[in-house]
Amino acid sequence: MTGIEGLIPDPFFFGAGVHETANGGHLDIHADFNLHSKMKVERRLNTLIYLNKDWREEWGGSFEIWDKEMKGKVHSFTPLFNRMVTFSTTADSFHGNPSVVNHPDGKSRDSIALYYYTATWDDSRKSHSTLFKPRPNSTDKKDYAEIRRDVLRDFTPPMLYRKIIGPLSRLGF
């Protein structure tokens, strides 16, 4: 289906599994992390399966895919029961569900997320965590934590970053 050879499912479900976006919630547009830290494999595909019976588009929570330049939405998928969306995971495959879930009965938007990897990672690559991007003409916020991590990575000696700053930044410092 994808043409990607050697896909590996994640036995740890690192960030995967059942996802619930509560009524009133959303997920800003982002590109996912690219390195599975335990398995040292490259993230390649996401598969989402929606669990919402009789969901209507006007209740929000639609999954959106944006272009690489973050200039416009490419496609939107209403989270309909048993709908599956599979897409490539790259540093510029921007996606999310930025419209607030607004179910009239207060129900959440539910899905199962599955991530697939390949053993193609090497030390010449630069890993990154989730990269949030604001939509144009929106009130979305910049991801200052990611900006701070990039600056620290660029100006800190590699050994010091790996041993001290990298682990601290993953803890939210």
Side-chain angles (χ1 to χ4, degrees):
M1 179 175 103
T2 66
I4 301 172
E5 292 188 29
L7 284 174
I8 304 165
D10 179 6
F12 302 104
F13 288 98
F14 185 67
V18 176
H19 289 181
E20 177 183 22
T21 305
N23 207 42
H26 72 286
L27 179 59
D28 285 337
I29 300 297
H30 62 283
D32 292 316
F33 65 88
N34 61 348
L35 173 66
H36 190 295
S37 58
K38 285 185 180 182
M39 295 172 47
K40 303 296 186 220
V41 289
E42 180 179 4
R43 188 162 170 181
R44 301 294 299 275
L45 286 177
N46 287 5
T47 295
L48 306 172
I49 302 167
Y50 294 101
L51 307 173
N52 311 96
K53 289 192 176 182
D54 304 318
W55 195 269
R56 294 185 186 169
E57 185 175 0
E58 60 265 23
W59 296 341
S62 288
F63 175 73
E64 297 181 5
I65 296 176
W66 281 66
D67 64 30
K68 294 178 184 200
E69 295 81 28
M70 281 299 299
K71 292 183 178 176
K73 179 173 43 174
V74 175
H75 205 346
S76 180
F77 300 89
T78 303
L80 302 174
F81 181 72
N82 213 27
R83 171 177 271 172
M84 182 178 91
V85 178
T86 298
F87 61 99
S88 178
T89 306
T90 64
D92 54 13
S93 59
F94 296 112
H95 61 280
N97 55 292
S99 64
V100 173
V101 173
N102 188 23
H103 192 283
D105 296 329
K107 293 182 181 178
S108 60
R109 170 197 182 270
D110 302 319
S111 62
I112 297 172
L114 304 168
Y115 305 146
Y116 296 88
Y117 299 82
T118 55
T120 52
W121 191 264
D122 64 52
D123 290 336
S124 69
R125 308 278 305 281
K126 181 181 175 184
S127 67
H128 63 78
S129 62
T130 303
L131 307 170
F132 286 91
K133 296 287 183 182
R135 294 171 294 162
N137 304 313
S138 74
T139 58
D140 298 349
K141 296 180 180 139
K142 289 184 180 181
D143 186 359
Y144 290 106
E146 182 62 31
I147 294 168
R148 184 177 65 245
R149 279 190 296 272
D150 285 346
V151 169
L152 286 171
R153 184 179 291 126
D154 289 345
F155 290 101
T156 304
M159 187 172 91
L160 183 62
Y161 183 86
R162 281 193 310 271
K163 298 294 182 187
I164 299 171
I165 295 174
L168 284 175
S169 69
R170 285 188 289 278
L171 294 172
F173 294 99

